């Protein structure tokens, strides 16, 4: 804790496609929304590569994940983070060797890796996204989704209070590996993805509202769509956070991605490393969700799980937990 009482915390999100770092400050007496970003970073790792086929995380990929996470942990501590929380999502939640990999990563980082349940992940993301979007969202009914590599969390709620939630067993990586092969994808492949997503949403989200004033999404696919819609050449979180892709623009934007070539997508500077092959499946998930939850458009958020983990770190530090957490 700094002399003025500001608490600096770190969070690492170990996802199915990427590993992400956040270092942030929380001022004394500030609301839970007052989280000031000090540093953020992300690297593609594809921890879930081949997971649907083998049921296990590949040893070589697990080692790379541990190396990346350890470097992020070192960076967080070097920046003065007094508490670090590391959370892992669908890949380690579902893999037969997930607990073993989590333990190995934790040993390299010097901090326990928490393998989050689907409910944990959904609720952390929902609150983080709504708080990040500001006062209007905190007074409104909302539906928030986090489109990951191996799962998609969908939560409906009122303001920053989550209500019903679903952790759907598919994401951009798992759908790509299951349905897509050689590029460009054929109509039958795209239909197979859409059908699986529609079935999952129909059952998992059956008790959620029929429409919503605020539909907000988080994840790499969302930042690509937001960046393309804004026409910016480089990913800049400040220009994406809270950006509304109007309903009339969203469908043509998705069609643009679906009709693009692999070479064309790789040339988009906003795409980021390790995403051009999975964004096709990603935008199909967005399309189905936008049709299931009619709204004025898609609100883009950059404050995903790592922001929820950072708030958790601050809350636990304030409650006087030890360095290893609960």
């Amino acid at each position: 804790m700094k002399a003025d009482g500001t608490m600096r915390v770190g969070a690492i999100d170990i996802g199915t496609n990427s590993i992400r770092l956040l270092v942030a400050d929380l001022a004394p007496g500030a609301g839970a929304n007052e989280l000031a970003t000090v540093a953020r970073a992300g690297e593609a790792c594809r921890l879930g590569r081949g997971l649907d086929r083998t049921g296990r995380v590949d040893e070589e990929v697990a080692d790379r994940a541990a190396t990346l996470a350890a470097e992020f942990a070192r960076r967080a501590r070097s920046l003065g983070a007094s508490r670090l929380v590391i959370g892992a999502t669908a890949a380690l939640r579902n893999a037969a060797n997930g607990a073993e990999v989590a333990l190995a990563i934790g040993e390299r980082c010097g901090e326990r890796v928490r393998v989050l349940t689907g409910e944990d992940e959904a609720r952390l993301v929902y609150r983080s996204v709504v708080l990040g979007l500001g006062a209007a969202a905190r007074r409104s009914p909302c539906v928030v989704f986090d489109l990951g590599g191996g799962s998609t969390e969908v939560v409906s709620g009122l303001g920053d209070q989550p209500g019903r939630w679903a952790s759907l067993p598919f994401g951009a990586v798992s759908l790509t590996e299951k349905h897509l092969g050689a590029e460009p994808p054929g109509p039958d492949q795209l239909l197979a993805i859409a059908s699986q997503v529609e079935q999952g949403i129909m059952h998992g989200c059956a008790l959620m509202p029929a429409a919503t004033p605020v539909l907000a999404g988080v994840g790499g696919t969302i930042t690509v769509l937001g960046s393309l819609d804004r026409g910016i050449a480089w990913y800049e979180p400040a220009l994406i956070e809270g950006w509304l892709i109007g309903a009339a623009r969203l469908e043509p934007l998705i069609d643009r991605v679906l009709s693009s070539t692999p070479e064309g997508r790789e040339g988009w500077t906003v795409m980021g490393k390790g995403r051009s092959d999975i964004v096709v499946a990603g935008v199909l998930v967005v399309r189905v969700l936008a049709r299931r939850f009619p709204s004025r458009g898609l609100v883009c958020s950059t404050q995903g799980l790592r922001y929820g983990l950072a708030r958790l770190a601050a809350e636990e530090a304030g409650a006087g937990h030890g360095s290893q957490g609960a």
Side-chain angles (χ1 to χ4, degrees):
M1 186 175 292
K2 294 157 71 173
D4 63 358
T6 299
M7 183 185 305
R8 180 161 293 182
V9 295
I12 299 174
D13 166 12
I14 300 176
T16 301
N17 185 57
S18 303
I19 298 180
R20 298 180 175 93
L21 166 71
L22 174 69
V23 179
D25 284 344
L26 188 70
N33 56 308
E34 300 299 327
L35 198 62
T37 301
V38 175
R40 50 186 285 163
E43 289 282 348
C45 181
R46 201 61 67 88
L47 195 61
R49 186 182 69 189
L51 183 59
D52 275 359
R53 184 182 71 258
T54 67
R56 298 178 63 83
V57 173
D58 178 81
E59 290 184 9
E60 180 181 342
V61 176
D63 183 68
R64 171 167 164 72
T67 299
L68 282 172
E71 169 57 25
F72 283 166
R74 185 203 63 76
R75 193 181 308 180
R77 294 183 179 111
S78 72
L79 290 171
S82 60
R83 183 172 181 81
L84 176 66
V85 169
I86 306 174
T89 59
L92 297 193
R93 192 160 61 229
N94 298 331
N97 61 337
E100 174 188 331
V101 173
L103 181 62
I105 295 174
E107 288 175 348
R108 296 269 286 274
C109 293
E111 185 71 42
R112 179 171 65 92
V113 174
R114 310 176 191 206
V115 180
L116 305 172
T117 67
E119 180 176 5
D120 290 337
E121 185 179 354
R123 294 183 180 278
L124 283 168
V125 168
Y126 177 88
R127 188 164 177 261
S128 182
V129 167
V130 173
L131 289 174
L133 291 178
R138 294 199 297 272
R139 295 191 298 266
S140 174
C142 301
V143 173
V144 170
F145 67 90
D146 180 2
L147 173 50
S151 68
T152 300
E153 278 61 48
V154 185
V155 191
S156 63
L158 179 61
D160 66 352
Q161 297 302 309
R164 298 188 184 280
W165 66 276
S167 183
L168 306 175
F170 52 74
V173 172
S174 60
L175 289 169
T176 298
E177 292 194 348
K178 182 175 182 180
H179 297 290
L180 298 182
E183 293 265 18
D188 290 346
Q189 293 171 302
L190 299 181
L191 180 60
I193 292 176
S195 297
Q196 180 180 343
V197 174
E198 286 167 358
Q199 286 294 315
I201 291 172
M202 180 178 69
H203 293 293
C205 304
L207 299 180
M208 293 185 190
T212 181
V214 176
L215 175 65
V218 67
T221 299
I222 309 306
T223 58
V224 168
L225 288 173
S227 298
L228 291 174
D229 190 54
R230 289 218 64 170
I232 57 179
W234 302 98
Y235 171 57
E236 174 50 60
L239 297 178
I240 300 300
E241 181 65 30
W243 178 256
L244 175 68
I245 305 174
R249 300 196 309 276
L250 184 59
E251 284 282 349
L253 193 60
I254 289 171
D255 285 336
R256 177 184 171 189
V257 175
L258 294 177
S259 63
S260 63
T261 64
E263 295 76 20
R265 292 194 299 273
E266 288 174 3
W268 297 343
T269 53
V270 298
M271 182 61 67
K273 183 180 177 182
R275 190 163 304 281
S276 62
D277 61 329
I278 63 173
V279 73
V280 168
V283 299
L284 286 171
V285 177
V286 172
R287 169 175 280 170
V288 176
L289 283 165
R291 291 175 176 176
R292 166 61 180 84
F293 298 103
S295 66
R296 61 196 181 106
L298 174 63
V299 181
C300 302
S301 172
T302 64
Q303 298 200 19
L305 179 60
R306 56 183 156 177
Y307 281 80
L309 294 172
R311 288 187 172 94
L312 180 61
E315 290 166 4
E316 292 182 347
H321 284 267
S323 63
Q324 291 300 309

